[in-house]
Amino acid sequence: MWDELIPSDPYLRTTHLIYLCLGAFITLFGLVSLIIKERLFMSEAMVAILIGVLVGPVVGKVVDPSTLFGSSLHSVSLEFSRIIIGIQCMACGVDLPGNYVFREWISIAILLGPVMISMWLISALGVYVIFGLGVWDCLIIAACMTPTDPVLANSIVKGKFAEMHIPLNVRLILSAESGANDGLGTPFLFLAVYLLRHPNEPAYAVGQWTYKVLIYQVLLAVLIGTVVAYLAQIALKTAVRREFIDKESILSFSIALALFIEGLGSLIGTDDILASFVAGNVLTWFQEVIDALLNLTFFVFVGATAPWSSFNAAEHGLEIWKLLLFALWMLTLRRVPIVLALQRWIPALKNQREAFFAGWFGPIGAGAIFYAHLAVVYLEYPEEKILPIVYFIVVSSVLVHGGSVALFNLSLTRTQTSVYTNWESMRQQPENGVESGMQLHQAASLEFRQSVDKEGSSIIDVLVNAPATMKAAL
């Protein structure tokens, strides 16, 4: 009788254990999340990775992803990270004021141009000096770790501590950069790959890279993100005005659109991550509950799937002291010097103190994992060369960047009200009051935070009233 109620299939039992452990963690974390993030100054990614290690094959042996997914593990990791990055890049675009990218185009151009190229080359130099790999191998591995991560950046630039101690201009530029440069990791990775495949024909390699990557992948991604988001915005406005849409569909709209853009971009071979960020700049509001749930799940997955045993694999030239030295190299030299040097040409950073903060907090996370598995799955790059290095740097970044934000106080204490007031003042007001749903996003965000601060208030009330708020805004 019990065999009929409790499945004996080990695959099903493992799956049910995952449900149990993941649900228990997210539930318990949610109950004390404010204490963990605002008092202990630990990021959600840091806690999630720790849980992943505890339930993974290294410690608790509750779940072994390599056994569960087998040879498909790299593909699962690739697609899981693709979903997370696409949603977070759209969130970064949505969270920015409507005209922010145009107002701060010089700062963004410097960060996506000279700063990003410098991070790529400095990272490659570190791989070359410490691990002794070939030049093209160094550039491929470094390309994975060049983008800053929107998932970890959000944990730094959002929250009560960030609102009170980190200037709004710094938070906005970090969010904009992390959303944009995650999609721009593709050109760096593919340039190194084309040069590796055609070492004797550099002109041919660069030509292939130019029209296949820069023109087709990047420019087409910008076009797709703009057009799809613009049409979606018109459709959403029409549905709200005519009362065709219910509150549940409103709350899931941005998530669904992010998945649609990712699917479309992946099918036609364009840069779906960049397209998601561009779409976020066209769209106007975002629902944060689902993406927070996905972020926690993803970093638990990272903790469980990280190749811990490969961190000290001497047969592949990897030793723990080399990885620690490389982590120190990346954290100190990859980004801080170039941002400090170019601060005077980055108008969004007002002084050297802000430049040091922005330079220090260039976290490496989901984007690096995505590009590393992209190299393994799509480009058939040897996993033993790239995955241990990338995963070690991701774990180091989560621990160091997630735990060091409390050490920085930029002496600009702000209340929640002043933050949203300043944010609103930076945004160009729509002419007719219905230009964008950013009004909803800001109003709902402020209302949500105020509801949490009020004893006995209900989050459900905020969600229930969201459609009415949206309709009034539109």
Side-chain angles (χ1 to χ4, degrees):
M1 176 180 179
W2 292 108
D3 292 338
E4 298 175 357
L5 300 179
I6 303 176
S8 58
D9 188 338
Y11 178 83
L12 288 177
R13 291 187 63 82
T14 301
T15 305
H16 297 164
L17 277 174
I18 294 175
Y19 300 158
L20 173 65
C21 295
L22 193 60
F25 162 62
I26 295 176
T27 300
L28 295 175
F29 178 83
L31 293 174
V32 295
S33 58
L34 196 61
I35 295 175
I36 291 175
K37 291 190 285 188
E38 309 294 355
R39 297 184 186 179
L40 300 179
F41 302 108
M42 296 174 64
S43 67
E44 59 187 24
M46 188 188 307
V47 180
I49 283 184
L50 177 61
I51 296 300
V53 174
L54 292 177
V55 302
V58 176
V59 179
K61 304 184 186 303
V62 176
V63 178
D64 186 353
S66 60
T67 301
L68 188 63
F69 298 111
S71 60
S72 300
L73 179 59
H74 295 314
S75 298
V76 171
S77 300
L78 172 65
E79 296 309 318
F80 196 2
S81 57
R82 185 196 301 275
I83 292 173
I84 297 298
I85 298 170
I87 291 175
Q88 282 293 351
C89 284
M90 178 168 283
C92 287
V94 167
D95 283 343
L96 296 174
N99 62 344
Y100 181 80
V101 172
F102 297 100
R103 289 175 58 92
E104 295 292 348
W105 71 269
I106 296 178
S107 298
I108 295 174
I110 295 295
L111 291 171
L112 298 183
V115 171
M116 201 168 178
I117 293 173
S118 175
M119 290 194 295
W120 182 39
L121 297 178
I122 292 295
S123 301
L125 181 61
V127 177
Y128 180 80
V129 170
I130 296 172
F131 300 102
L133 298 178
V135 173
W136 306 128
D137 291 316
C138 294
L139 290 172
I140 290 173
I141 296 173
C144 299
M145 299 176 286
T146 297
T148 56
D149 187 61
V151 181
L152 298 179
N154 279 341
S155 67
I156 294 168
V157 302
K158 290 183 179 181
K160 187 180 297 183
F161 180 87
E163 291 178 359
M164 294 183 64
H165 297 290
I166 304 175
L168 179 63
N169 57 292
V170 177
R171 288 187 279 127
L172 288 176
I173 194 64
L174 285 178
S175 182
E177 181 197 11
S178 65
N181 71 9
D182 242 45
L184 291 176
T186 302
F188 294 96
L189 176 63
F190 277 86
L191 176 59
V193 169
Y194 281 130
L195 290 173
L196 176 64
R197 291 179 174 177
H198 306 282
N200 300 322
E201 301 175 296
Y204 174 78
V206 173
Q208 291 280 307
W209 174 76
T210 299
Y211 78 82
K212 286 184 177 180
V213 178
L214 289 186
I215 296 177
Y216 184 78
Q217 284 200 313
V218 175
L219 294 183
L220 183 58
V222 173
L223 179 63
I224 288 175
T226 302
V227 172
V228 171
Y230 179 74
L231 294 176
Q233 187 180 46
I234 293 176
L236 182 59
K237 286 182 180 181
T238 303
V240 170
R241 286 196 184 100
R242 298 187 178 184
E243 299 183 356
F244 290 166
I245 187 169
D246 57 17
K247 62 179 181 295
E248 290 82 5
S249 299
I250 292 175
L251 293 177
S252 63
F253 189 83
S254 295
I255 301 288
L257 190 63
L259 294 176
F260 172 81
I261 291 175
E262 286 193 301
L264 177 61
S266 300
L267 284 174
I268 64 176
T270 190
D271 193 337
D272 52 301
I273 305 301
L274 180 60
S276 296
F277 174 74
V278 173
N281 275 279
V282 177
L283 283 176
T284 50
W285 77 295
F286 197 78
Q287 208 278 327
E288 298 179 351
V289 176
I290 297 177
D291 81 300
L293 177 65
L294 289 174
N295 294 344
L296 287 171
T297 305
F298 176 74
F299 280 103
V300 171
F301 180 78
V302 170
T305 57
W308 303 100
S309 60
S310 299
F311 290 163
N312 200 29
E315 64 273 16
H316 299 304
L318 298 175
E319 298 178 66
I320 193 66
W321 70 267
K322 289 184 178 181
L323 289 170
L324 289 171
L325 181 60
F326 183 59
L328 181 63
W329 176 293
M330 293 291 287
L331 293 171
T332 56
L333 299 179
R334 163 179 168 265
R335 180 176 168 87
V336 174
I338 186 63
V339 175
L340 287 174
L342 297 180
Q343 179 266 322
R344 67 176 64 185
W345 293 284
I346 305 177
L349 303 176
K350 307 303 181 185
N351 51 54
Q352 288 283 295
R353 199 174 186 183
E354 292 184 357
F356 179 76
F357 183 91
W360 173 255
F361 285 105
I364 304 168
I369 293 175
F370 169 76
Y371 285 113
H373 285 284
L374 180 69
V376 172
V377 175
Y378 279 58
L379 307 175
E380 299 181 349
Y381 191 80
E383 62 180 272
E384 62 275 4
K385 279 187 178 182
I386 192 170
L387 293 185
I389 296 176
V390 170
Y391 270 89
F392 189 89
I393 296 303
V394 168
V395 173
S396 301
S397 179
V398 169
L399 294 177
V400 175
H401 289 129
S404 61
V405 65
L407 301 178
F408 291 82
N409 185 334
L410 300 188
S411 302
L412 287 176
T413 302
R414 305 178 177 197
T415 63
Q416 293 175 359
T417 302
S418 65
V419 167
Y420 284 93
T421 301
N422 291 337
W423 191 320
E424 180 69 16
S425 66
M426 293 181 64
R427 182 174 62 87
Q428 184 179 9
Q429 294 295 331
E431 296 179 359
N432 58 4
V434 300
E435 180 65 23
S436 82
M438 177 63 79
Q439 296 165 329
L440 165 68
H441 174 67
Q442 294 177 344
S445 298
L446 179 57
E447 184 179 358
F448 177 81
R449 292 186 178 277
Q450 290 174 341
S451 71
V452 174
D453 291 336
K454 293 179 181 179
E455 183 176 1
S457 62
S458 172
I459 296 176
I460 299 299
D461 293 337
V462 179
L463 298 180
V464 168
N465 293 328
T469 308
M470 183 176 185
K471 187 176 179 180
L474 292 173

